[in-house]
Each structure stands twice: as structure tokens, then as C-alpha cells.
Amino acid sequence: MIDDNIMLALFHSKFNHRFEIWKITRTGNSFKVKEAATTDGDLISNSSQVQGFTYSVAHKCYYFAFNDYLFKIDAKGNLANYYHFNAKREVEGLASYKSKIYIAMNKRAEVFDSNMAKQPQEQALKK
């Protein structure tokens, strides 16, 4: 959910080897659906399920999480960056608020946050 009237949906097309991001806008009792972005590729090759999806309003980009990988996708669907963290745990969800992204991890229920300000590519996630 972006706000009270806008929702994003993520669809993986195995046939076309891409992810499609759809924007659903509510006006009164009617809904309009429009494709917002499309990736060029599957992003990950081991058939992992998406375990987290969020949109950063502050940075105008999307984030997808698979196991211990986090992909940053720009507004047009291009891969902007990716991060790998060896936590030996899976992501259970993503959220974004202001300039931070929050990652919920399984097993010991923990939430990590990250300051998404411009930093080196190997940005560390911190508790």
C-alpha cells in the first residue's frame, strides 16, 4: 500500500522471464490498473519465491527480497543495485518508511533497518 488510494502488486511471469509491477488506483468505488514497471529478467536463477516487496517513496524505487538477497529496482524496472547478506535466515517481509527500509527475518524474529542514504555499494544492514 502506498496510501489510502494506491496499491502495488507484483507478478512474476515465468514465460517472459520478468517481474511486472502493477499500480492499482482507487477513485471512489472504481479501480484503475496500470503496469508501472517491468524487469528484464528473473533476477534470481534458483526459482526462489519473492519473500518481500516494497516501494520506497523517498527514493522512488522498488525492493524485492529472496532468501538473503535484496534487489533495488528503479522506477522503470531496471536493476539499480543488489545486496547479499549471509544471515543464514530468510526474509519474511519488507517495509519502507522515509529513507529507511525494514527487513523482517525468520527464526529469531528480528527486524533490521538500513539507512538508504548514498553509501558504498556494500552497505551493511544493522539491527
Side-chain angles (χ1 to χ4, degrees):
M1 300 299 294
I2 302 299
D3 59 32
D4 290 343
N5 299 307
I6 300 173
M7 178 174 66
L8 296 174
L10 181 65
F11 171 74
H12 180 240
S13 174
K14 272 188 165 179
F15 179 75
N16 293 320
H17 300 284
R18 67 183 187 191
F19 285 91
E20 299 170 2
I21 300 165
W22 293 86
K23 181 179 179 180
I24 304 164
T25 306
R26 179 180 70 91
T27 305
N29 290 329
S30 65
F31 294 87
K32 287 171 70 173
V33 179
K34 179 182 177 188
E35 188 174 280
T38 303
T39 66
D40 183 25
D42 292 314
L43 299 178
I44 200 156
S45 62
N46 65 4
S47 299
S48 290
Q49 300 296 314
V50 175
Q51 293 171 297
F53 170 63
T54 194
Y55 177 75
S56 170
V57 174
H59 298 283
K60 296 179 178 29
C61 63
Y62 307 95
Y63 292 92
F64 302 175
F66 304 85
N67 297 329
D68 50 1
Y69 283 90
L70 179 66
F71 292 88
K72 181 179 181 180
I73 308 296
D74 71 16
K76 294 181 182 179
N78 300 310
L79 177 63
N81 208 341
Y82 72 94
Y83 311 89
H84 179 251
F85 44 97
N86 190 10
K88 296 187 177 27
R89 297 159 51 195
E90 295 180 1
V91 172
E92 291 295 329
L94 291 176
S96 176
Y97 181 68
K98 296 188 180 179
S99 65
K100 289 189 178 184
I101 187 166
Y102 296 87
I103 304 171
M105 304 296 289
N106 74 347
K107 293 185 183 171
R108 293 186 329 255
E110 292 180 307
V111 176
F112 295 87
D113 74 5
S114 177
N115 182 352
M116 301 308 287
K118 293 181 182 176
Q119 294 180 358
Q121 185 171 359
E122 293 296 319
Q123 179 178 358
L125 295 173
K126 58 184 179 181
K127 271 189 188 177

